[in-house]
Amino acid sequence: MQQNSPNNSTTEFRVGQRVHASNDSRRIGTVKYVGTVEGYSDTWVGVNWDNGEGKHGGSVNGVKYFHAKFETSGSFVRPKNLCKGVSLLEALEKRYRNEMYVLSTSNRRVSVQLLGKNELHDKLSRFEELTSASLSFMGVSSPGIPCHISTTVPNIKELDLSGNLLSEWKDVGTICEQLPALEALNLSHNLMSPYKSELPLLKSIRVLVLNNTGVNWEQVELLRQSLSAIEELHIMGNNISRILPVSSSMVQGFDSLRLLNLEDNCIAEWSEIMKLSQLRCLEQLYLNKNCLSSLFYPDNGRQYCESEVACYKPFQNLRCLLLGDNNFSDLASVDSLNLFPNLVDIRLSGNPITDATRGGVPRFGLIARLAKVQILNGSEITSRERKDSEIRYVRLVVSKLHVSPEEIKQHPRFSELKNFYGIEDQKPSTRATGPQAISSGFLSITLKCVGASMGEKPPLTKKLPASTTVGKLKFLCESFFKLKSMKLNLFLQEEGSPLPLSLDNDASSLMDIGVGNDSVILVDEDS
């Protein structure tokens, strides 16, 4: 393997070619024009930069030479200031030219030192131990001589080629063919062209990462027949808005697919997601940062099946569903999650429905509504947290039903939980006569001062009526901790929640906001 000196003559650049700045392999773009520019000497290369940081939209002095993606993502560059890329093995040599450690097939750290070209042949033989290689942002644009790949790094199992200049699937296929042990391939931030010829052979690939590559679902469907062993497929950031199966109304095949990552796309309709519901092995579905506003689970899963296709319960093996940073705002969508047969890990953070500061549902309310969930927003739900949350939830609903009996329609699990915990339905005017007089009883609350100017004050545990308002509690805290003439903010510290819940409505009672027995309230100064 001999690395040639770059020769960036204009003949080496063509429209559509992927290039990077010669002094920065992370500054990547696509050639849009090669030729002269009026008023300037010699030949120029017009580039549309991926990061949008150019100088213009393809025009100079009123003359349009090419169309950049954005108004300022294009620029003209001298050929000598651009690099057309290197082969896979050239990048490997460059990345590991100095001392490196590799993980061998026997899990031993093996030192490899590549010091000079005269020793290169002997040193490259040590690459046979290499099972994982990261060549991200190394300017890889081609496989190079195919047979050299298989003889140099025959044991590669994981290959990171993110942020390079690859664009043709035939080149990807060549690399995979020469690496028979390859199981995980990352092609993120390579702008891949649509298929032009026969599909690449990717039959040994179990994990394929295609984030920010420009692929759409049609291309994923075409690629399916080459991915017979695929278990994880990541296609984030590709502006996918629709799931378009090739031969039926439902996505078929992908018989081994366990994880599908569709985060940071543009899917707005849950009906598009339902097209994935017959993937029988699918256990994890990542949909964070899309445009979804509601979801449903069909009462009869067979309504999504065609007569000639064997039908199964929708998402029958799905265990993890990530829905963070979407637009969910309705309780019906939250309650529908109970209908998924095996769903235990859910993310809902970043949605209006979970923003407690704007009337959303706090963590304890979500836990109570979701009967089977074991992990919420990345935090495990302990048996104690579930019990406390469900009791708090019942108390909250009881207080609301006194004002509006119609409220019960919004709480499908209320009767079940109320009966399970034996909580009596007490009216506000009824005087407490026993431990089950929840609505008019007393709560044990621990108060902790956390304000910087409050000094070190030991926590206090007080028994307070459940009807105590937030405003009244602030007044009591001034007295308890001798904090006269200091404006206070209160926060409810919830188990499993990364941030405490601000108690900013002075008129709400402890029962209204679901404060339970043995709760911890933080007392802070108003900044």
Side-chain angles (χ1 to χ4, degrees), residues 51 109 300 324 388 402-403 424 427 470 477 489 491:
N51 62 7
R109 290 184 76 191
N300 179 4
D388 289 348
H402 293 144
V403 179
E424 296 293 335
K427 294 184 178 180
V470 172
C477 287
N489 283 333
F491 299 87

Side-chain angles (χ1 to χ4, degrees), residues 399 466-470 505-515:
S399 67
S467 58
T468 303
T469 65
V470 172
N505 187 346
D506 285 357
S508 296
S509 70
L510 299 181
M511 179 181 297
D512 289 339
I513 55 181
V515 173

Side-chain angles (χ1 to χ4, degrees), residues 195-442:
Y195 307 120
K196 296 178 180 178
S197 57
E198 63 182 60
L199 294 172
L201 297 176
L202 309 174
K203 296 188 181 300
S204 65
I205 299 295
R206 293 189 302 104
V207 179
L208 181 60
V209 186
L210 298 174
N211 300 336
N212 302 100
T213 56
V215 301
N216 55 30
W217 191 263
E218 293 94 326
Q219 293 174 23
V220 171
E221 286 279 340
L222 291 173
L223 197 60
R224 178 186 60 182
Q225 57 189 291
S226 295
L227 294 170
S228 57
I230 193 71
E231 296 179 11
E232 289 188 22
L233 180 59
H234 301 260
I235 43 178
M236 295 173 56
N238 288 309
N239 293 315
I240 295 172
S241 60
R242 298 195 63 193
I243 306 296
L244 298 172
V246 172
S247 58
S248 69
S249 62
M250 309 294 287
V251 174
Q252 303 293 328
F254 295 108
D255 294 333
S256 303
L257 188 64
R258 300 182 184 279
L259 186 156
L260 177 59
N261 186 348
L262 281 163
E263 291 188 12
D264 197 20
N265 279 292
C266 307
I267 303 172
E269 299 295 332
W270 187 253
S271 56
E272 297 297 320
I273 303 303
M274 285 304 300
K275 296 174 184 177
L276 304 168
S277 63
Q278 292 296 301
L279 296 176
R280 284 184 289 160
C281 288
L282 189 64
E283 296 177 355
Q284 301 179 65
L285 180 57
Y286 298 171
L287 298 172
N288 294 326
K289 297 183 180 180
N290 274 274
C291 306
L292 297 163
S293 58
S294 64
L295 67 87
F296 61 88
Y297 188 90
D299 295 331
N300 179 4
R302 294 186 67 86
Q303 71 188 70
Y304 279 89
C305 301
E306 296 184 345
S307 57
E308 70 272 14
V309 178
C311 294
Y312 306 91
K313 284 186 178 181
F315 296 113
Q316 66 175 15
N317 286 312
L318 190 67
R319 296 180 56 81
C320 174
L321 179 59
L322 305 187
L323 299 168
D325 297 299
N326 277 277
N327 300 317
F328 291 101
S329 59
D330 63 312
L331 290 171
S333 292
V334 175
D335 295 332
S336 293
L337 294 170
N338 283 312
L339 301 176
F340 288 71
N342 293 293
L343 190 58
V344 294
D345 184 354
I346 298 170
R347 180 174 292 278
L348 288 168
S349 55
N351 284 284
I353 192 62
T354 62
D355 188 350
T357 64
R358 300 182 180 180
V361 182
R363 179 178 171 87
F364 79 88
L366 294 173
I367 292 173
R369 284 182 172 273
L370 299 170
K372 295 178 290 188
V373 66
Q374 298 173 9
I375 301 173
L376 178 62
N377 296 333
S379 177
E380 184 177 358
I381 301 169
T382 64
S383 57
R384 176 176 177 177
E385 185 185 13
R386 173 161 290 285
K387 179 180 178 180
D388 289 348
S389 296
E390 291 175 343
I391 291 175
R392 288 174 62 188
Y393 170 75
V394 172
R395 288 172 175 166
L396 177 61
V397 177
V398 164
S399 67
K400 290 184 176 182
L401 291 180
H402 293 144
V403 179
S404 175
E406 292 294 313
E407 179 85 15
I408 196 170
K409 295 179 180 178
Q410 299 183 33
H411 303 278
R413 297 199 68 215
F414 170 69
S415 296
E416 170 198 346
L417 294 174
K418 178 172 172 290
N419 293 334
F420 180 79
Y421 291 106
I423 298 175
E424 296 293 335
D425 185 8
Q426 297 286 333
K427 294 184 178 180
S429 59
T430 302
R431 188 171 183 84
T433 58
Q436 290 184 332
I438 300 297
S439 62
S440 58
F442 284 77

Side-chain angles (χ1 to χ4, degrees), residues 169-211:
W169 282 102
K170 65 176 182 179
D171 291 334
V172 175
T174 298
I175 293 172
C176 292
E177 281 182 326
Q178 295 299 313
L179 298 174
L182 188 64
E183 297 179 350
L185 176 63
N186 187 351
L187 293 172
S188 297
H189 297 282
N190 287 272
L191 189 58
M192 302 305 299
S193 302
Y195 307 120
K196 296 178 180 178
S197 57
E198 63 182 60
L199 294 172
L201 297 176
L202 309 174
K203 296 188 181 300
S204 65
I205 299 295
R206 293 189 302 104
V207 179
L208 181 60
V209 186
L210 298 174
N211 300 336

